[in-house]
Amino acid sequence: DAIKDMQRNWIGKSIGAEIDFKFENSNDNIRVFTTRIDTIFGVTFMVIAPESNYTDQLTTPDQRIEVEKYVVAAKNRSERDRISNVKQVSGVFTGSYVMHPFTDQKIPVWIADYVLAGYGTGAVMAVPSGDQRDFDFGKKYQLPIVQIIDQQNITETEADSTKNGKMVNSSFLNGLTPIQAIPKGIEAIVEKGI
């Protein structure tokens, strides 16, 4: 029983926060789960799973054909294949944007098969400076990559997931270590009601 309790409580358990990103043209939002709220100012795009409930809602008429083709192709691949194929990222733009919860900047919403609907909320706030898949995706589709930790060593081919250093380009989190920025970020999203 003790082992079962341990497994129930810890295997696959992640501690973090959920945060809402409001749609550009409505009061609806995408909720994402993150263990790294300290990286919120490094978000330059959003990625949703092909089978996400948001897919239909966010796909604009001019992107519909391309999105439908991509979704069909993604559904023909196994989840294992989708998450294990780290060398080759692919995606399609929905045509829609969500608003950054602190800067009000427009963030493009993409569909990518490396995001799974059954994992978390099926949506990822992409931080290409610190996550290799987001980095590869951002590079491929020429999306911005913002350094958010002063000791990050981002190269032409690699992100840097370091948690050492101080936050930069991060508004009210600037000067804090990532460990200090996490509770401060959570406090801010609670305060904003998002």
Side-chain angles (χ1 to χ4, degrees), residues 60-73:
T60 59
D62 56 323
Q63 291 294 107
R64 179 108 11 231
I65 291 170
E66 202 175 335
V67 166
E68 285 173 355
K69 278 196 273 186
Y70 186 81
V71 168
V72 167

Side-chain angles (χ1 to χ4, degrees), residues 3-188:
I3 291 171
K4 286 180 185 176
D5 282 342
M6 192 169 70
Q7 289 174 336
R8 262 192 294 281
N9 293 324
W10 292 107
I11 291 180
K13 183 175 184 172
S14 294
I15 297 171
E18 289 183 330
I19 184 168
D20 295 333
F21 287 76
K22 186 180 164 305
F23 290 8
E24 177 188 20
N25 295 317
S26 82
N27 287 326
D28 290 332
N29 60 62
I30 293 178
R31 178 165 284 180
V32 299
F33 173 79
T34 181
T35 59
R36 296 286 312 273
I37 194 67
D38 57 304
T39 65
I40 188 71
F41 290 97
V43 176
T44 58
F45 58 98
M46 177 81 58
V47 190
I48 60 175
E51 54 282 291
S52 168
N53 295 334
Y54 299 120
T55 300
D56 273 347
Q57 200 174 358
L58 287 168
T59 301
T60 59
D62 56 323
Q63 291 294 107
R64 179 108 11 231
I65 291 170
E66 202 175 335
V67 166
E68 285 173 355
K69 278 196 273 186
Y70 186 81
V71 168
V72 167
K75 284 182 179 176
N76 287 328
R77 296 179 63 206
S78 71
E79 282 191 1
R80 176 177 292 236
D81 184 39
R82 285 169 50 184
I83 59 172
S84 65
N85 189 3
V86 295
K87 297 268 186 241
Q88 196 153 346
V89 292
S90 68
V92 63
F93 180 46
T94 63
S96 293
Y97 297 84
V98 292
M99 305 308 291
H100 190 285
F102 292 107
T103 67
D104 278 335
Q105 285 183 306
K106 288 175 20 171
I107 297 173
V109 181
W110 288 72
I111 297 168
D113 62 3
Y114 74 88
V115 180
L116 304 177
Y119 184 78
T121 64
V124 170
M125 57 177 223
V127 182
S129 65
D131 180 273
Q132 192 61 44
R133 279 196 180 169
D134 294 346
F135 178 90
D136 294 341
F137 193 92
K139 278 287 194 187
K140 181 172 183 175
Y141 295 104
Q142 300 172 348
L143 298 162
I145 298 170
V146 177
Q147 180 176 352
I148 49 168
I149 301 173
D150 63 0
Q151 291 188 28
Q152 276 182 314
N153 181 24
I154 306 160
T155 68
E156 275 303 305
T157 57
E158 288 189 25
D160 183 355
S161 63
T162 188
K163 293 180 185 171
N164 298 322
K166 304 273 184 182
M167 304 305 297
V168 294
N169 302 317
S170 296
S171 183
F172 64 91
L173 300 177
N174 281 344
L176 300 175
T177 65
I179 299 300
Q180 293 168 329
I182 290 172
K184 181 115 174 154
I186 290 172
E187 190 179 291

